[in-house]
Amino acid sequence: MTTTTPRLIDTELLSDLKRFGAADVSACFSCGTCTAICPLVDNDSTFPRRIIRYAQVGMRDELLASKELWTCYQCGLCSDSCPTEADPSEFMAAARRYAIASYEPTGLARVLYTRPVIGSVIATAVAAFFAVFMYAARGPQNGESLELFTFIPEGLIHWTGVAVMGVLALAGVFGLASMARRVARSEGVSLRTLVGGGAALWSTAKALWSSLGVESLGQRRYREDCKDDNPVEPLYRRRWLIHALTVWGFLGLFSATILDWGLAIAGVKETGTPIPLWYPSRLIGTMAGISLVYGVSMFMVNRKRQVNRAAQHSTASDWLLLVLLWITGVTGFLIELALYLPDPPTWGYWVFLFHVAVAMELMLLLPFTKFAHAMYRPAALFFYALAKGRSKQAV
Ligand code: SF4
Ligand code: SF4
């Protein structure tokens, strides 16, 4: 005799989702208009209304195990055509916020999303902590040249950064494992189906390439399927490009930091040694900084003006992420300017301290803000590519 685990119904699910910004989807009667109009449906006749159904009937586990939650790019076409004004596009965004808060165990993401005042106090306290911590260990300010790593000792920044990255990695791995375990179980994916034999390894490698290379870096579905509502939108204002520039900018800055660190370890150049603008790590950092500041500034302007569906509803946590990214990028440029001015300005030291404190906070809070989608979306797209590969083989 076989026994089946009874499904757990969460009667609070719909009201909980509303705390994360979801519209009232109780009026949705599964008419299928959103499915018909969504450019990302891809032979799935239940997307996106199946996720709404989960919320309506309290199927929390199924909702959190849905890879489809992350394949929506919030173009808003479904909301524009929904006859009951259930706003499926915003519902999907709120469900993703809910999922980010559910995958991580500390409850911090939930507070940042649903308690804006407490969230703002926490964010300010974390930044203040890092600033005071750095300030307390400050060294002398050289007035003849800007010696930033004498003012804030390099070792202090390095080891604080290592500790922050440790917390980031721990929270990130925990959240990702929680999400991947749920999705893998619901998709019937196991270690054996991933690496058991040559064919399995080949399809895993293809799915990884599709998820990380084609989609995450190349933004293919965002670019091709999710066309902007306005076809005459100039390229520099297109959502996919703004998103891509932000992603590439962030990765570029991260690479420049690692490169600089690597050069110091290899004995090529000590951290803080004056270098020309064309030096590889400085050049990559500058290009990436321009990309990031442009992308984030456009996101902020679009949210302020509410130019599209994706920008119409913003939580305090969304703004926190954008503001931290923007401050990190802009203060980075101010430091660069100070370094190349003929007379080193003393404000360069204070901007540097502020920059380091905000950058540390940004890294620490990444797994608890919208940025966490940078982990969950590629993972979901990996499962999506695996399922697509399997269905092709079955044909
Ligand atoms: S969300 Fe709207 S368009 Fe989609 S199935 Fe429900 S009622 Fe129909
Ligand atoms: S927002 Fe766009 S991508 Fe997402 S479900 Fe609606 S139509 Fe599809």
Side-chain angles (χ1 to χ4, degrees), residues 51-132:
I51 318 285
I52 295 174
R53 194 74 189 132
Y54 288 155
Q56 285 176 328
V57 298
M59 293 170 73
R60 179 178 185 270
D61 289 340
E62 284 75 3
L63 183 133
L64 292 176
S66 301
K67 62 184 186 311
E68 291 80 9
L69 206 55
W70 304 94
T71 57
C72 157
Y73 286 98
Q74 211 184 354
C75 65
L77 290 175
C78 52
S79 291
D80 290 341
S81 53
C82 173
T84 63
E85 298 184 1
D87 200 353
S89 165
E90 189 51 44
F91 168 81
M92 294 292 273
R96 285 190 290 274
R97 291 180 205 120
Y98 176 80
I100 288 173
S102 303
Y103 297 146
E104 68 90 7
T106 68
L108 179 57
R110 173 174 278 269
V111 171
L112 292 176
Y113 271 130
T114 60
R115 313 285 293 274
V117 177
I118 299 177
S120 306
V121 171
I122 292 174
T124 310
V126 173
F129 167 78
F130 281 121
V132 170

Side-chain angles (χ1 to χ4, degrees), residues 7-309:
R7 285 185 193 284
L8 293 177
I9 299 300
D10 180 353
T11 51
E12 297 296 312
L13 182 59
L14 203 49
S15 54
D16 210 7
L17 280 161
K18 282 184 196 161
R19 287 187 202 113
F20 287 80
D24 187 0
V25 290
S26 51
C28 165
F29 60 107
S30 209
C31 68
T33 309
C34 51
T35 305
I37 198 115
C38 175
L40 301 179
V41 159
D42 219 13
N43 294 330
D44 177 359
S45 59
T46 65
F47 178 78
R49 58 202 162 116
R50 177 162 44 91
I51 318 285
I52 295 174
R53 194 74 189 132
Y54 288 155
Q56 285 176 328
V57 298
M59 293 170 73
R60 179 178 185 270
D61 289 340
E62 284 75 3
L63 183 133
L64 292 176
S66 301
K67 62 184 186 311
E68 291 80 9
L69 206 55
W70 304 94
T71 57
C72 157
Y73 286 98
Q74 211 184 354
C75 65
L77 290 175
C78 52
S79 291
D80 290 341
S81 53
C82 173
T84 63
E85 298 184 1
D87 200 353
S89 165
E90 189 51 44
F91 168 81
M92 294 292 273
R96 285 190 290 274
R97 291 180 205 120
Y98 176 80
I100 288 173
S102 303
Y103 297 146
E104 68 90 7
T106 68
L108 179 57
R110 173 174 278 269
V111 171
L112 292 176
Y113 271 130
T114 60
R115 313 285 293 274
V117 177
I118 299 177
S120 306
V121 171
I122 292 174
T124 310
V126 173
F129 167 78
F130 281 121
V132 170
F133 183 58
M134 299 284 163
Y135 179 79
R138 75 192 184 284
Q141 293 181 3
N142 187 342
E144 286 169 19
S145 65
L146 214 53
E147 291 178 9
L148 301 175
F149 292 95
T150 305
F151 180 56
I152 311 287
E154 187 214 334
L156 180 74
I157 297 178
H158 175 77
W159 288 111
T160 310
V162 168
V164 166
M165 292 299 279
V167 175
L168 167 73
L170 209 64
V173 167
F174 192 96
L176 197 57
S178 167
M179 179 262 191
R181 193 166 29 83
R182 289 166 190 268
V183 179
R185 203 182 297 146
S186 96
E187 294 285 309
V189 174
S190 65
L191 211 55
R192 191 180 55 78
T193 62
L194 289 177
V195 294
L201 274 171
W202 178 237
S203 60
T204 301
K206 278 201 299 186
L208 270 176
W209 168 245
S210 167
S211 145
L212 297 175
V214 180
E215 300 297 350
S216 301
L217 288 177
Q219 312 265 294
R220 188 191 60 84
R221 274 159 65 92
Y222 210 151
R223 197 161 25 95
E224 293 175 4
D225 296 343
C226 242
K227 302 260 191 279
D228 285 282
D229 305 355
N230 181 357
V232 294
E233 187 88 83
L235 181 65
Y236 70 92
R237 284 214 310 249
R238 299 244 171 112
R239 277 182 65 217
W240 77 263
L241 187 72
I242 295 170
H243 187 261
L245 287 173
T246 307
V247 173
W248 297 335
F250 185 85
L251 291 177
L253 283 175
F254 190 69
S255 310
T257 307
I258 297 293
L259 179 61
D260 207 53
W261 188 42
L263 290 173
I265 289 174
V268 177
K269 173 192 89 62
E270 275 190 37
T271 307
T273 309
I275 46 174
L277 264 175
W278 52 262
Y279 200 83
S281 54
R282 178 62 42 86
L283 193 60
I284 294 171
T286 305
M287 302 293 290
I290 293 171
S291 178
L292 179 85
V293 171
Y294 175 77
V296 175
S297 301
M298 288 300 283
F299 270 132
M300 290 168 94
V301 170
N302 287 350
R303 280 194 183 272
K304 190 84 190 99
R305 291 192 184 157
Q306 303 188 339
V307 295
N308 50 43
R309 283 275 182 186

